[in-house]
Amino acid sequence: MATDWLGSVVSINCGLTLGVYQGEVSSVDHASQTISLRQPYHNGVKCPVSEVTFSAMDIKELKFLDIQNTVNKPSSGQGAAKQPSIISAGRHGQSNRTTHPPVTSSSSHSGAAPITILRRVSSNSRGVIPATAKKNNVRNGGTGGPMRSKDDECFGDGTDEDLDTDFDFEGNLALFDKAAVFSRIDGTSRHSSRAQHHSTQAEQKPMSYRHDENILEGKPVIYRQITVPQQGGREYCTDSGLVVPSVPYELHKRLLATAEHWGLSLERRLEMIGVCSSQMALTLLGGPNRLTPKNVHQRPTVVLLCGPHLQGAQGISCGRHLANHEVEVILFLPNFVKMQESVTSEVSLYSRTSGKQVSSVKDLPASPVDLLINCLDCHENQLLREQSWYQSAADWANQNRAPVLSIDPPVSEQHQTVEAKWTLSLGLPLPLAETESRVYLCDIGIPKLVFQEVGIRYLSPFGCKFVIPLHRA
């Protein structure tokens, strides 16, 4: 009968929205398919109302926490005790067995979930302890009797404390002597580990590392990874400390000839130099901060001063790539001198871009430009400096006061006609004169075995870049 479960303490799970309720069963209605709890708790907090009623449709799961002990009394007219099946299951220790109370579903509510979904999951196999015995045991301190039930601690009767009162965290924390507890823990830990770790106490403390340091032990770094048969008289080093020696011009010329023999033709080398030098120039001009679609009214202007030789062809290749990147390029190249075939080929390609070409210094801008690229000098012919067109172009460059990038300057003990702020060397640096210019090195794609063929033991210092800065060692 439904009255057999009155007074039992149950836990009703109504899902994530309504939560979990606990309380004493006060009534069970077959007709309306409802169950009521008195003195309910909602998610562990006492409810402000004295009774809550639940519909069977809202109940996801029901567990019995404590069954009232009046069901142990014998029924009238029978000599033996008549008990619900759930009580006998609990007393026999069958904790996983699901039983149903003798409550039936009403025929008028066939669409709703019946109350018979109620079930009890026993937490132990010691049987049911009467609620009054548990409460008395708790009130008396629990010495010598059964252990205090966790459920009784949470949901036992007589909890009349004012839950609205704020908890005194500072006062409770003052009762905890943290220093004494940690001192006792440290003493116990040292005593227990002294015998086990006596042999390791003399070992050195492991070294600590910063987040940017390599903690993996490997082979020592060899900073001199490039050795040359003939020293150029000057050494440089990269940002990571790798040593890059300079080479004499004759060895550098033989290296380029060997590379050309194996397929690195002059045209391919000019294209590589043009790409790398233009990339460096774009960075010097401001990179993405300057060259954006929203900044078309401030396009940078670059002037190229080129001679009718190989170095001039390298500068023209650089100018072509700059023009392709929407840079205002002005090429100065005299037209009354004989030009090399490579220069003629590069001029033909350059003429298909938006870049301008002038042959007179008078046609160059009078106001300062953003960058000036100097390719006037030649490795083979130093007498070009004495010609009038060369001197006119050098004078204009010195008066314009624009920053200068010099590509592949020749080896010379004389004072530079056009002082460069940056100098770009190719493959391996030449022994350049002592100046304030910052030296950079460009990877022009020479294979490792080509270096080996001319007697140079070579391991690339470029890493993930094609242009790297060099510092005087």
Side-chain angles (χ1 to χ4, degrees):
M1 300 297 295
T3 57
D4 293 339
W5 306 103
L6 299 181
S8 301
V9 179
V10 298
S11 174
I12 298 177
N13 185 358
C14 297
L16 297 177
T17 304
L18 299 179
V20 180
Y21 289 81
Q22 298 88 17
E24 182 180 338
V25 178
S26 59
S27 66
V28 178
D29 192 339
H30 286 286
S32 60
Q33 291 287 286
T34 59
I35 181 172
S36 300
L37 302 183
R38 69 164 61 96
Q39 298 180 356
Y41 283 77
H42 179 221
N43 294 333
V45 179
K46 189 174 183 180
C47 296
V49 296
S50 60
E51 189 175 72
V52 178
T53 302
F54 302 90
S55 173
M57 296 171 55
D58 297 329
I59 299 176
K60 304 297 182 182
E61 185 180 27
L62 187 147
K63 297 181 181 179
F64 282 87
L65 304 178
D66 189 14
I67 301 177
Q68 50 87 22
N69 54 5
T70 58
V71 298
N72 296 329
K73 298 178 182 180
S75 303
S76 59
Q78 295 182 0
K82 183 178 180 181
Q83 304 171 355
S85 59
I86 189 170
I87 298 297
S88 61
R91 294 195 176 189
H92 285 84
Q94 299 176 2
S95 59
N96 295 328
R97 179 179 176 182
T98 302
T99 59
H100 302 278
V103 182
T104 59
S105 175
S106 175
S107 60
S108 60
H109 296 274
S110 59
I115 291 290
T116 54
I117 62 172
L118 306 182
R119 59 191 178 93
R120 176 176 182 257
V121 180
S122 176
S123 59
N124 53 61
S125 60
R126 294 178 296 176
V128 178
I129 300 175
T132 55
K134 292 182 182 179
K135 297 170 186 175
N136 293 336
N137 190 35
V138 172
R139 299 294 183 269
N140 296 332
T143 56
M147 295 182 63
R148 184 177 180 180
S149 171
K150 293 183 180 180
D151 294 334
D152 191 63
E153 292 180 19
C154 296
F155 313 116
D157 289 341
T159 308
D160 298 329
E161 291 81 6
D162 187 2
L163 298 179
D164 294 332
T165 304
D166 292 337
F167 182 74
D168 187 4
F169 288 96
E170 295 183 358
N172 186 70
L173 185 61
L175 301 176
F176 176 62
D177 191 353
K178 184 169 63 175
V181 173
F182 276 97
S183 177
R184 184 164 61 254
I185 293 175
D186 293 341
T188 304
S189 178
R190 286 195 297 268
H191 179 73
S192 60
S193 61
R194 187 175 303 166
Q196 300 178 6
H197 303 283
H198 177 73
S199 60
T200 60
Q201 289 180 352
E203 296 182 1
Q204 185 178 1
K205 185 179 179 180
M207 185 177 181
S208 59
Y209 295 89
R210 298 195 310 270
H211 68 281
D212 57 345
E213 290 183 322
N214 184 11
I215 63 174
L216 299 178
E217 296 183 0
K219 297 180 180 179
V221 180
I222 301 175
Y223 290 99
R224 189 174 294 275
Q225 299 179 352
I226 302 176
T227 57
V228 295
Q230 301 174 9
Q231 286 286 345
R234 186 179 298 280
E235 287 188 341
Y236 300 89
C237 63
T238 65
D239 289 339
S240 57
L242 298 177
V243 178
V244 180
S246 62
V247 295
Y249 174 68
E250 294 299 329
L251 180 59
H252 193 275
K253 183 178 178 181
R254 187 154 51 96
L255 174 64
L256 297 180
T258 305
E260 189 171 350
H261 169 73
W262 286 104
L264 188 62
S265 62
L266 177 60
E267 291 77 13
R268 298 178 67 176
R269 195 166 75 241
L270 286 174
E271 192 67 16
M272 190 71 178
I273 296 171
V275 171
C276 293
S277 58
S278 62
Q279 182 64 62
M280 180 179 176
L282 291 172
T283 303
L284 297 176
L285 291 171
N289 297 324
R290 183 75 179 277
L291 299 167
T292 61
K294 298 181 180 180
N295 198 24
V296 293
H297 62 287
Q298 291 182 341
R299 293 170 60 185
T301 302
V302 176
V303 172
L304 284 153
L305 302 179
C306 299
H309 40 64
L310 177 59
Q311 278 65 39
Q314 295 172 168
I316 300 172
S317 176
C318 174
R320 171 167 53 88
H321 288 287
L322 290 176
N324 289 338
H325 286 263
E326 302 301 325
V327 176
E328 294 283 353
V329 181
I330 302 175
L331 170 62
F332 169 79
L333 182 66
N335 58 2
F336 55 88
V337 292
K338 184 179 179 180
M339 299 182 185
Q340 294 185 5
E341 183 181 354
S342 59
V343 177
T344 304
S345 177
E346 289 297 329
V347 169
S348 177
L349 277 174
Y350 175 80
S351 64
R352 311 313 298 171
T353 67
S354 60
K356 300 179 182 178
Q357 180 180 350
V358 298
S359 58
S360 175
V361 176
K362 297 179 181 180
D363 297 328
L364 293 174
S367 59
V369 296
D370 294 277
L371 181 64
L372 196 155
I373 299 178
N374 179 25
C375 297
L376 292 173
D377 295 297
C378 175
H379 290 287
E380 305 293 341
N381 187 4
Q382 298 290 337
L383 299 178
L384 289 177
R385 295 186 177 186
E386 300 178 1
Q387 298 184 14
S388 59
W389 65 268
Y390 181 99
Q391 294 177 0
S392 299
D395 293 340
W396 177 90
N398 293 328
Q399 293 175 5
N400 191 265
R401 298 181 181 178
V404 179
L405 169 61
S406 182
I407 300 178
D408 193 19
V411 178
S412 176
E413 297 296 334
Q414 300 178 7
H415 182 72
Q416 295 291 330
T417 308
V418 179
E419 291 292 339
K421 187 175 182 179
W422 305 282
T423 298
L424 183 61
S425 297
L426 310 179
L428 285 176
L430 298 172
L432 303 175
E434 187 71 29
T435 61
E436 297 297 329
S437 178
R438 299 186 59 182
V439 181
Y440 286 77
L441 188 63
C442 169
D443 183 8
I444 57 177
I446 302 178
K448 180 179 179 180
L449 294 182
V450 174
F451 283 97
Q452 183 178 342
E453 190 168 339
V454 296
I456 300 176
R457 185 173 67 88
Y458 180 84
L459 188 62
S460 175
F462 291 96
C464 62
K465 300 179 180 179
F466 284 88
V467 178
I468 58 173
L470 295 182
H471 310 279
R472 290 179 173 85

